[in-house]
Amino acid sequence: MIAAPELPSEFHYPQDSDTRFSSDTDFSEAPDVSINPTKGKGGKKGKKAAGEKGKGGKGVGGAGRMNGHYQENGMENLMLFEVVKMGKSAMQSVVDDWIEAYKTDRDMALLDLINFFIQCSGCKGVVSGEMFRNMQNSEIIRRMTEEFDEDSGDYPLTMAGPLWKKFKGSFCEFIAVLVRQCQYSIIYDEYLMDTVISLLTGLSDSQVRAFRHTSTLAAMKLMTALVNVALNLSINMDNTQRQYETERNKMVAKRANDRLELLLQKRKELQENQDEIENMMNAIFKGVFVHRYRDAIAEIRAITIEEIGMWMKLYSDAFLNDSYLKYVGWTMHDKQGEVRLKCLTALQGLYYNRELNTRLELFTSRFKDRIVSMTLDKEYDVAVQAIKLLTLVLHSTDEVLSPEDCESVYHLVYSAHRPVAIAAGEFLFKKLFSTREPEEEGAPKRRGRQSPNANLIKTTVFFFLESELHEHAAYLVDSLWESGADLLKDWECMTSLLLDDPVPGEEALTDRQETALIEIMLCTVRQAAECHPPVGRGTGKRVMTAKEKKTQLDDRTRMTELFAVTLPPLLAKYSIDTEKVTNLLQLPQFFDLDIYTTGRLEKHLEALLRQIREIVEKHTDTEVLEACSKTYHALCNEEFTIFNRVDIARSQLLDEMVDKFNRLLEDFLQEGEEPDDDDAYQVLSTLKRITAFHNAHDLSQWDLFSSNFKLLNTGIENGDMPEQIVVHALQCTHYVVLWYLAKVSEGSHRKEELMSLRKQMRMFCLMCQRYLTNVNTTVKEQAFTILCDVLLVFSHQMVSGGREQLEPLVYSPDDSLQTELLSFILHHVFIDQDDDNAPHKSSVTGCVTYYNDYGDIIKETMSKTRQIDKIQCAKTLILSLQQLFHEMLSELGTGFDRSSSAFCGIKELARRFSLTFGLDQVKTRDAIAMLHKDGIEFAFKEPSPQGEGNPPLHLAFLDILSEFSSKLMRQDKRTVHMYLERFMTFQMALQRDDCWLPLISYRNSLQAGGDDDTMSVVSGYSSRGSSVRSKKTKAATPTATVAAAKRKLPEGTEESSSSSADMSWQHQSMQTPVMMPSPHLTSTMMRGPGDMREEHPHPHTLPQTPQLHQTPIDYNTQVTWMLAQRQQEEVRQQQERAMNYAKLRTNLQQAIRRGTGLMEEDEEPIVEDVMMSSEGRMEDLNEGMDFDTMDIDLPPSKNRRERSELKPDYFDPGSIMDESVSNSLLLYSTINTL
């Protein structure tokens, strides 16, 4: 095991008086040994020539350069950053030019490379040669930070546009090509890589996001390139060792001693090179990865996890162990979906290789439950990759996943999100259907129920039934379609299982299983014919490829040829079963009807028509009759030659039904005779058949309006018409009107036709209006639904699109009809489900109470009202809440419990109202302010009935009003708070009883976040008044705490004072002559962990006592005494914190001097639950894992070992003690760690 390499911490020339560096540092003068380009091929490592560091002022760069910059393809004086950004040159030539320049003057070339990384971060500053020679590295980074553009949060890696989208790829490619081209000599010169790694390590610890993001990406890509180099060295070492062993095993007479010596020398040199590479990788891993994998920015964390997955995949011998896998396992709990996604994709690359499975056994056992739970991740992309990862685990071994684990994935085949369902379908197919019965060689291919797919189809049926989601067969088929399409399109086997008798010893399908098989078969036919997912899973129409179109045509031809023959016997066998027949009758809708003619299948068409006619005569179920009607409609297509034959059969059937209906109706309505139940049944059954066919077929030639209207009129007059007859008569008449309108709208029409239609429509509307008062609820609902449809169809919009001739048909409801429709809504829609006689809710309140049923209508209505008038809409919302509050008081009394369901329901309603205002506070500013004003006035409107000293009657309404506080802008919160204080007395402010809690919570909601300030997006957060950015606090983990306590920020005191001044101004602006303002509380949690560094006074000065507001003159003595006590307590606490910090600072400095490791506090990050279900908390992930810091287990080279012994790692950002005072909570956690 080796330690991290000791790299130079500063760009600094050692002076005679500088005793920090020994003569062995990278920047001291060394013997004049030139760079040997034959490194790796037997030559010695290149050393720095004496005085080379000062040779950068010659003013002449390398070949292809002018003034230190590149000139290529006519592009003169371009920085390296510009060349890479433009992407017009091959990266190979760009790197070769830089290498030539490096060989000529490596200081100037290295300075170009340093500026390249600085500019790639979006910094406008340039590191000059003078800065490079004389300034320390931390000072250079601070100088670059000062020159950053604070007004923009964009930098090259985040900028939009085609140029910047390509930049990241070019940036990564440049680093990879640079290492590849330098892998034989330059990277071993102990100068280039040490300086680059030191620079990237320092930048990766910067508080400027752009620096940290860019340098982390560069360091991780550099590490990946070094892993490739190390892998090549390992292969070369193995080959050299094998050649050496072969030569040594030869007989002495045939052995070539010179060759043995050369092979020994080569192996030694390869070993030294590998040691160097391993030290570089350890430096990057410990200096960058272990800190950035838990960075506050999700993009940075994602980069680290993506790259460590590449390392484990590329060089599994060195990286695929528990010491590296633990980081991926921990990060699977990250709160950002993109980071969790990178974890899963990294693991997929490992599990895909079966040879690596043995190394993943411990990791799988420890993190399997987490992977399984991620299948329910709230981010669908993460859930998809989690299921795919489990599929790879299942593919490698069946023993890892328990039946419970598999079942948690199985049910996802019914997910509404198609990618999740497809991934779950692939998992299900591999688990249940991957094993088939082997077929004997030379034996004829088995078909039908003897085929190998028979058992698999049965398994599909069994799974479908056990899932108990029978209405979702289409979703199951869609989930399995991509992985098991061949199985699902084996319709010959399915029909054989339904029609053929089972062979001896085979168990026949039950009735329930046959029903499920027919439903699945119908869904597979629909999927093959339509080539789009079921409703709810589609993402819009997708353009089919030529291959997909050909597959669709072939499938339709094959299904038509098969079912044209088998469908009639299937209908004959299951003609009595309603559910089976309904599904079977839908199959002809997907046929290629030309096959009936081209395939000479006319006799099978005749058989199908006979079966459909028999089913119509046997059944009265609406679903079966509508299926028959749709089948006739599909077959009666004038484009096909079978149209005449089907049209004749349909006309004969309709003639018989209409004649029978007229005959039965005449007898049924005959005066003087009371119809019996048998007559009513005959009329109803015939009317059902006619209504079902009239839905899809035009029956205008039979004049059904007169007969149906006569039937409905008789029901109104007598009042004893059976309910179902009235319902179907209304529906049939509705179809008559609509078909008449379609006929009039299509082409030329006479005025008499328009008048006739207008008369029929108005007579029908009047009839429906009369049925709105019927005693039967079903009849009233049918009349209401049809009236709404008719009013919508015959509205003023029907004349748009050049149809002005239909103007006489426009119908607007009169006041009486509008009143009756509104009365129906109030008495039959907005009612409690458990009590039909419950009083109705009014206006918006009732709508939102029934949000689950009418959510889409409600949202659209509220959106329109807000567009019309935002303030009036807000007043309406608060008024509805006040009405509900009044109703609750009348029911529960004034002493109600605020935890009661009624009060909680009103509060939940207020929360939903608040969400409707959206995120744009500027647009809704006036409306929200008016809402709070009305709410405050309502809360203090009625005094307490118990007398003075008790809370107002409606004070609890402030608890409801607090749901809208988050929608107030910061400055408006102060205004509303001042308005609230106008209604308060001095005694109210001192009350702390439970009955006053609504007032306390509402005041707190107005004060929370009122003093937050807008921070710079470049550095996370920064003060506008300071030229130097303040640094952000790391996440509250021990390692990050130590690092945070080590960094310098000399300007911290100024920024703290600026913040204090701003705080004082805010308090003064909020002070009123009546109320005592609450003291300002500072909390880092308001700004989020890791987002900014807490401002503190200088550690050597005692913290100042916070200045509270001066008590107004009219305050009483008690309040003055309370303020004095509070001030004394604040002073005492500040002094204690200062003493604790001084002690901790001493302990930290001692720990640093003892050489605290970069990764001693190697712990998992604090995460939050991100699952759709809250089952299970994160277990102790440390158990059973080897969590020691992992180094590449090879000895370091002598040269590197000597250097590590002689000088400390000055570039370690953790070695610089931060002069600013850290947050007390973080300091206490660090003490515990130490």
Side-chain angles (χ1 to χ4, degrees):
M1 306 287 286
I2 62 176
E6 305 297 337
L7 301 178
S9 66
E10 310 292 346
F11 296 124
H12 175 66
Y13 265 127
Q15 306 295 329
D16 294 339
S17 61
D18 191 348
T19 59
R20 292 190 302 160
F21 292 91
S22 68
S23 60
D24 289 330
T25 59
D26 282 344
F27 304 108
S28 63
E29 295 185 356
D32 189 3
V33 180
S34 61
I35 299 174
N36 186 0
T38 61
K39 173 66 184 168
K41 299 182 181 180
K44 295 182 179 180
K45 295 181 182 179
K47 301 292 184 179
K48 295 179 292 296
E52 278 189 347
K53 185 91 177 190
K55 295 180 180 179
K58 294 182 178 181
V60 179
R65 292 162 55 87
M66 176 180 292
N67 298 328
H69 304 307
Y70 295 94
Q71 24 178 353
E72 180 181 331
N73 298 332
M75 297 181 295
E76 296 183 359
N77 297 328
L78 287 181
M79 301 293 289
L80 183 59
F81 167 72
E82 296 293 336
V83 177
V84 174
K85 182 185 75 172
M86 295 173 65
K88 295 182 179 180
S89 304
M91 202 58 64
Q92 180 83 25
S93 62
V94 174
V95 172
D96 289 343
D97 288 344
W98 184 89
I99 292 175
E100 290 298 323
Y102 183 82
K103 292 177 180 179
T104 303
D105 186 347
R106 61 182 182 180
D107 288 335
M108 184 61 69
L110 188 57
L111 186 60
D112 279 354
L113 189 61
I114 292 171
N115 280 312
F116 168 72
F117 289 118
I118 295 295
Q119 292 171 345
C120 287
S121 302
C123 180
K124 304 300 183 183
V126 177
V127 180
S128 64
E130 184 69 20
M131 295 169 59
F132 179 58
R133 287 190 296 271
N134 300 325
M135 295 179 65
Q136 296 182 357
N137 177 59
S138 59
E139 295 174 345
I140 292 176
I141 295 178
R142 186 177 292 113
R143 179 72 63 82
M144 294 299 102
T145 301
E146 293 174 3
E147 299 185 16
F148 227 97
D149 181 14
E150 291 194 11
D151 295 331
S152 173
D154 292 333
Y155 49 96
L157 292 182
T158 60
M159 287 183 180
L163 178 64
W164 297 112
K165 288 181 179 179
K166 297 178 181 179
F167 173 78
K168 181 178 179 180
S170 300
F171 178 72
C172 299
E173 183 186 0
F174 173 80
I175 297 174
V177 175
L178 178 63
V179 175
R180 187 176 70 238
Q181 294 300 102
C182 298
Q183 64 177 318
Y184 298 112
S185 60
I186 298 180
I187 62 174
Y188 305 109
D189 67 358
E190 301 177 4
Y191 183 62
L192 169 65
M193 295 305 296
D194 287 359
T195 306
V196 171
I197 292 174
S198 299
L199 171 70
L200 296 179
T201 304
L203 289 175
S204 69
D205 198 50
S206 172
Q207 297 300 320
V208 180
R209 171 177 175 172
F211 278 151
R212 203 166 68 253
H213 187 181
T214 306
S215 60
T216 301
L217 175 62
M220 294 298 99
K221 292 299 180 180
L222 182 63
M223 178 78 167
T224 303
L226 291 176
V227 168
N228 282 307
V229 175
L231 181 61
N232 292 333
L233 288 173
S234 176
I235 295 174
N236 291 333
M237 286 183 62
D238 292 341
N239 294 336
T240 303
Q241 181 67 24
R242 186 166 53 254
Q243 294 173 7
Y244 176 80
E245 295 294 339
T246 302
E247 189 67 26
R248 193 180 62 174
N249 292 334
K250 292 181 180 180
M251 297 177 60
V252 178
K254 297 182 179 181
R255 185 183 304 167
N257 292 329
D258 294 342
R259 179 173 173 77
L260 284 175
E261 185 176 351
L262 288 175
L263 290 173
L264 267 175
Q265 180 66 24
K266 182 179 179 181
R267 186 181 65 178
K268 180 180 178 181
E269 183 179 338
L270 290 173
Q271 181 65 51
E272 291 180 355
N273 291 347
Q274 190 168 32
D275 292 343
E276 291 285 331
I277 296 298
E278 289 161 2
N279 287 333
M280 297 175 194
M281 291 191 296
N282 278 330
I284 297 174
F285 186 81
K286 291 185 175 182
V288 179
F289 178 87
V290 297
H291 300 293
R292 300 282 69 81
Y293 91 95
R294 48 191 171 191
D295 193 275
I297 305 302
E299 293 92 331
I300 298 177
R301 301 197 300 271
I303 289 172
T304 59
I305 296 304
E306 181 180 16
E307 294 305 314
I308 196 175
M310 291 294 299
W311 308 338
M312 290 186 287
K313 183 179 179 181
L314 291 173
Y315 200 177
S316 58
D317 292 338
F319 290 96
L320 188 55
N321 52 63
D322 298 331
S323 294
Y324 292 105
L325 283 168
K326 65 181 179 181
Y327 296 106
V328 181
W330 288 339
T331 316
M332 283 194 295
H333 295 268
D334 195 278
K335 61 183 179 181
Q336 294 297 327
E338 62 177 304
V339 183
R340 301 194 299 273
L341 185 64
K342 293 296 183 182
C343 294
L344 295 173
T345 53
L347 291 173
Q348 287 175 13
L350 302 177
Y351 280 97
Y352 184 79
N353 189 351
R354 290 192 176 186
E355 297 177 357
L356 305 178
N357 289 340
T358 55
R359 303 184 187 181
L360 294 167
E361 289 179 355
L362 180 58
F363 176 85
T364 304
S365 64
R366 293 299 300 119
F367 292 99
K368 179 200 66 174
D369 293 339
R370 172 58 182 163
I371 298 173
V372 172
S373 67
M374 291 175 76
T375 60
L376 298 176
D377 196 278
K378 64 181 181 181
E379 300 286 346
Y380 286 125
D381 293 340
V382 177
V384 170
Q385 298 305 323
I387 298 171
K388 290 183 177 180
L389 178 58
L390 289 177
T391 305
L392 291 175
V393 174
L394 181 67
H395 190 65
S396 60
T397 174
D398 292 338
E399 301 175 356
V400 176
L401 299 179
S402 64
E404 292 77 12
D405 297 334
C406 295
E407 289 176 3
S408 65
V409 181
Y410 290 161
H411 75 277
L412 293 177
V413 297
Y414 297 104
S415 172
H417 191 260
R418 192 165 191 262
V420 172
I422 293 297
E426 183 180 358
F427 179 89
L428 175 65
F429 189 81
K430 283 188 178 295
K431 181 66 176 178
L432 300 183
F433 309 126
S434 57
T435 57
R436 292 173 176 248
E437 297 181 3
E439 296 188 24
E440 299 179 1
E441 296 183 2
K445 186 176 181 180
R446 293 179 294 172
R447 307 178 69 87
R449 65 186 309 133
Q450 300 298 322
S451 69
N453 286 336
N455 289 332
L456 299 181
I457 292 174
K458 291 181 181 179
T459 303
T460 307
V461 173
F462 299 155
F463 174 82
F464 176 56
L465 293 176
E466 290 176 1
S467 64
E468 297 181 353
L469 292 170
H470 304 162
E471 68 275 16
H472 295 92
Y475 295 92
L476 173 62
V477 169
D478 182 58
S479 301
L480 294 171
W481 194 254
E482 292 189 6
S483 54
D486 293 338
L487 170 67
L488 297 176
K489 289 192 288 189
D490 193 352
W491 298 303
E492 183 179 357
C493 180
M494 295 180 186
T495 55
S496 178
L497 288 172
L498 293 171
L499 291 174
D500 298 345
D501 295 330
V503 298
E506 181 185 3
E507 185 177 355
L509 294 176
T510 63
D511 180 73
R512 186 163 173 259
Q513 292 169 352
E514 288 179 340
T515 302
L517 177 56
I518 291 175
E519 184 176 358
I520 292 174
M521 182 174 65
L522 170 63
C523 294
T524 59
V525 169
R526 180 187 294 113
Q527 187 88 2
E530 297 180 348
C531 292
H532 64 75
V535 177
R537 276 194 184 170
T539 57
K541 291 188 177 181
R542 184 177 61 89
V543 178
M544 297 174 58
T545 62
K547 182 178 180 181
E548 291 173 338
K549 291 180 179 180
K550 183 178 184 304
T551 302
Q552 181 187 28
L553 293 176
D554 294 342
D555 290 340
R556 290 192 65 189
T557 300
R558 191 164 61 89
M559 76 174 65
T560 306
E561 292 174 347
L562 174 66
F563 286 108
V565 179
T566 58
L567 183 57
L570 284 171
L571 291 174
K573 181 178 181 180
Y574 301 109
S575 60
I576 302 177
D577 193 308
T578 300
E579 188 173 0
K580 294 186 180 70
V581 167
T582 302
N583 288 327
L584 290 172
L585 284 171
Q586 298 180 47
L587 292 175
Q589 301 175 25
F590 310 103
F591 286 178
D592 181 2
L593 299 180
D594 276 334
I595 302 298
Y596 275 110
T597 304
T598 58
R600 300 180 181 276
L601 302 175
E602 289 84 356
K603 62 177 182 179
H604 297 288
L605 176 62
E606 294 290 346
L608 175 62
L609 296 175
R610 285 196 302 271
Q611 292 297 329
I612 296 175
R613 182 186 179 92
E614 292 178 4
I615 291 171
V616 171
E617 294 173 351
K618 289 180 181 179
H619 288 268
T620 58
D621 188 83
T622 302
E623 292 184 357
V624 177
L625 295 174
E626 288 183 352
C628 294
S629 175
K630 292 179 181 178
T631 302
Y632 271 113
H633 182 268
L635 295 175
C636 288
N637 193 329
E638 297 180 1
E639 297 179 1
F640 302 100
T641 56
I642 63 172
F643 168 74
N644 292 330
R645 187 173 303 189
V646 178
D647 185 49
I648 292 173
R650 179 186 61 175
S651 299
Q652 292 177 351
L653 176 63
L654 292 176
D655 283 337
E656 294 178 5
M657 287 193 302
V658 173
D659 291 343
K660 181 179 180 181
F661 174 69
N662 291 329
R663 186 173 62 255
L664 291 172
L665 185 62
E666 185 178 354
D667 297 338
F668 184 74
L669 300 179
Q670 189 172 359
E671 298 182 3
E673 295 184 9
E674 183 176 351
D676 55 11
D677 293 340
D678 184 63
D679 293 338
Y681 176 78
Q682 291 293 333
V683 172
L684 176 60
S685 60
T686 307
L687 184 58
K688 277 186 174 182
R689 296 185 180 100
I690 293 176
T691 303
F693 272 82
H694 207 351
N695 186 13
H697 304 270
D698 185 7
L699 307 184
S700 301
Q701 56 179 319
W702 284 279
D703 190 20
L704 293 172
F705 183 86
S706 301
S707 55
N708 279 282
F709 191 84
K710 183 178 180 181
L711 180 63
L712 292 172
N713 192 49
T714 303
I716 289 291
E717 294 175 354
N718 298 336
D720 57 351
M721 187 68 66
E723 166 191 324
Q724 289 298 317
I725 291 180
V726 175
V727 169
H728 286 86
L730 287 171
Q731 189 66 55
C732 186
T733 309
H734 183 212
Y735 290 149
V736 171
V737 173
L738 293 181
W739 277 109
Y740 201 170
L741 175 63
K743 179 181 178 182
V744 170
S745 303
E746 284 179 357
S748 58
H749 51 268
R750 294 174 299 177
K751 186 176 180 180
E752 294 78 8
E753 292 178 345
L754 286 177
M755 293 299 103
S756 175
L757 175 58
R758 184 174 184 272
K759 180 180 179 181
Q760 289 185 4
M761 180 265 296
R762 292 181 178 255
M763 291 173 58
F764 179 58
C765 288
L766 181 60
M767 183 64 68
C768 290
Q769 183 177 354
R770 296 172 67 184
Y771 271 104
L772 280 177
T773 58
N774 192 277
V775 294
N776 192 286
T777 303
T778 305
V779 174
K780 286 191 289 188
E781 290 179 354
Q782 180 76 346
F784 176 81
T785 303
I786 292 176
L787 264 176
C788 292
D789 290 341
V790 171
L791 292 176
L792 182 63
V793 172
F794 289 90
S795 65
H796 62 88
Q797 297 178 351
M798 71 181 305
V799 299
S800 60
R803 294 179 295 180
E804 290 78 7
Q805 67 275 11
L806 300 180
E807 178 70 27
L809 298 179
V810 175
Y811 178 61
S812 298
D814 54 17
D815 293 341
S816 61
L817 179 56
Q818 294 182 37
T819 302
E820 292 191 35
L821 291 175
L822 179 60
S823 176
F824 178 87
I825 293 176
L826 296 178
H827 290 87
H828 294 86
V829 178
F830 297 125
I831 60 172
D832 294 334
Q833 299 296 327
D834 299 333
D835 186 6
D836 292 339
N837 297 322
H840 66 270
K841 308 294 182 183
S842 61
S843 66
V844 181
T845 304
C847 292
V848 181
T849 305
Y850 297 92
Y851 182 84
N852 292 334
D853 296 325
Y854 311 103
D856 52 346
I857 301 175
I858 294 168
K859 287 193 293 185
E860 182 65 20
T861 303
M862 295 184 68
S863 176
K864 292 296 184 182
T865 56
R866 188 174 295 109
Q867 291 176 11
I868 296 172
D869 193 326
K870 294 183 178 64
I871 295 180
Q872 289 300 323
C873 177
K875 283 179 170 290
T876 304
L877 296 182
I878 197 67
L879 178 61
S880 64
L881 293 174
Q882 293 170 5
Q883 291 176 352
L884 278 179
F885 190 82
H886 271 301
E887 293 179 8
M888 181 195 67
L889 287 181
S890 62
E891 294 176 4
L892 303 180
T894 57
F896 67 91
D897 185 5
R898 290 198 304 276
S899 62
S900 63
S901 59
F903 185 80
C904 292
I906 301 175
K907 197 169 182 181
E908 171 65 16
L909 181 61
R911 186 188 69 83
R912 294 202 178 192
F913 279 156
S914 176
L915 294 176
T916 61
F917 284 96
L919 300 177
D920 193 342
Q921 293 179 329
V922 176
K923 291 182 178 180
T924 60
R925 182 179 183 180
D926 295 339
I928 291 293
M930 185 60 66
L931 185 146
H932 279 272
K933 176 180 177 296
D934 290 354
I936 292 173
E937 293 174 353
F938 174 77
F940 290 93
K941 183 178 181 180
E942 297 290 339
S944 173
Q946 285 82 18
E948 188 176 357
N950 293 290
L953 182 63
H954 300 157
L955 187 68
F957 189 78
L958 292 179
D959 204 5
I960 299 172
L961 191 61
S962 63
E963 295 291 338
F964 298 92
S965 297
S966 61
K967 298 299 180 181
L968 283 169
M969 298 182 69
R970 188 182 71 247
Q971 55 268 39
D972 291 343
K973 286 186 177 181
R974 300 196 194 106
T975 305
V976 173
H977 186 269
M978 294 174 62
Y979 188 76
L980 173 67
E981 291 178 346
R982 292 170 54 184
F983 292 85
M984 296 172 56
T985 63
F986 178 74
Q987 288 75 17
M988 289 183 182
L990 301 178
Q991 296 292 340
R992 291 296 181 268
D993 296 336
D994 290 344
C995 59
W996 294 93
L997 285 179
L999 175 60
I1000 298 173
S1001 63
Y1002 182 58
R1003 290 186 67 202
N1004 292 338
S1005 69
L1006 295 177
Q1007 294 172 348
D1011 297 322
D1012 289 347
D1013 202 358
T1014 304
M1015 301 297 182
S1016 171
V1017 295
V1018 178
S1019 59
Y1021 300 99
S1022 66
S1023 174
R1024 292 290 181 184
S1026 176
S1027 62
V1028 180
R1029 297 168 180 270
S1030 63
K1031 296 189 177 182
K1032 298 183 287 185
T1033 303
K1034 295 291 181 184
T1037 55
T1039 304
T1041 304
V1042 175
K1046 297 175 182 177
R1047 305 186 187 98
K1048 293 183 179 180
L1049 186 60
E1051 293 81 358
T1053 307
E1054 298 178 7
E1055 185 166 314
S1056 178
S1057 62
S1058 174
S1059 177
S1060 300
D1062 182 64
M1063 183 193 313
S1064 176
W1065 175 85
Q1066 290 178 1
H1067 279 306
Q1068 293 174 4
S1069 65
M1070 294 175 63
Q1071 186 174 356
T1072 63
V1074 180
M1075 294 304 306
M1076 177 181 66
S1078 301
H1080 178 72
L1081 302 179
T1082 302
S1083 172
T1084 57
M1085 298 306 294
M1086 292 167 57
R1087 297 171 182 173
D1091 285 345
M1092 70 170 294
R1093 182 183 298 275
E1094 185 71 17
E1095 294 88 357
H1096 296 276
H1098 195 276
H1100 299 297
T1101 61
L1102 290 177
Q1104 299 179 358
T1105 303
Q1107 298 296 326
L1108 296 177
H1109 302 293
Q1110 297 297 326
T1111 307
I1113 297 177
D1114 56 351
Y1115 275 14
N1116 57 29
T1117 305
Q1118 180 182 5
V1119 177
T1120 305
W1121 179 83
M1122 291 171 59
L1123 289 175
Q1125 292 295 319
R1126 184 176 301 172
Q1127 287 180 339
Q1128 295 176 7
E1129 182 66 18
E1130 291 284 348
V1131 172
R1132 186 183 63 80
Q1133 293 178 358
Q1134 292 284 356
Q1135 291 175 347
E1136 289 182 356
R1137 284 197 290 268
M1139 295 176 61
N1140 290 334
Y1141 170 73
K1143 295 179 181 179
L1144 176 64
R1145 179 180 174 81
T1146 303
N1147 294 336
L1148 286 176
Q1149 291 173 341
Q1150 293 175 356
I1152 293 171
R1153 295 190 189 101
R1154 290 195 300 267
T1156 304
L1158 284 172
M1159 204 177 159
E1160 285 185 3
E1161 301 86 3
D1162 189 12
E1163 298 183 1
E1164 56 193 290
I1166 299 175
V1167 296
E1168 63 182 32
D1169 188 10
V1170 294
M1171 305 308 298
M1172 290 186 286
S1173 59
S1174 58
E1175 54 187 12
R1177 293 292 180 185
M1178 189 168 67
E1179 301 177 356
D1180 181 12
L1181 303 179
N1182 299 335
E1183 182 181 354
M1185 298 288 286
D1186 179 16
F1187 285 168
D1188 292 335
T1189 302
M1190 185 62 180
D1191 292 327
I1192 300 177
D1193 194 11
L1194 288 174
S1197 65
K1198 180 180 179 181
N1199 188 8
R1200 176 70 67 177
R1201 191 184 305 116
E1202 290 175 351
R1203 294 171 57 223
S1204 63
E1205 291 171 356
L1206 288 175
K1207 67 181 178 64
D1209 185 2
Y1210 289 107
F1211 202 90
D1212 176 15
S1215 65
I1216 304 174
M1217 182 63 189
D1218 194 345
E1219 295 298 335
S1220 61
V1221 182
S1222 301
N1223 184 281
S1224 60
L1225 294 177
L1226 299 180
L1227 295 179
Y1228 290 140
S1229 65
T1230 309
I1231 290 175
N1232 295 332
T1233 305
L1234 295 174

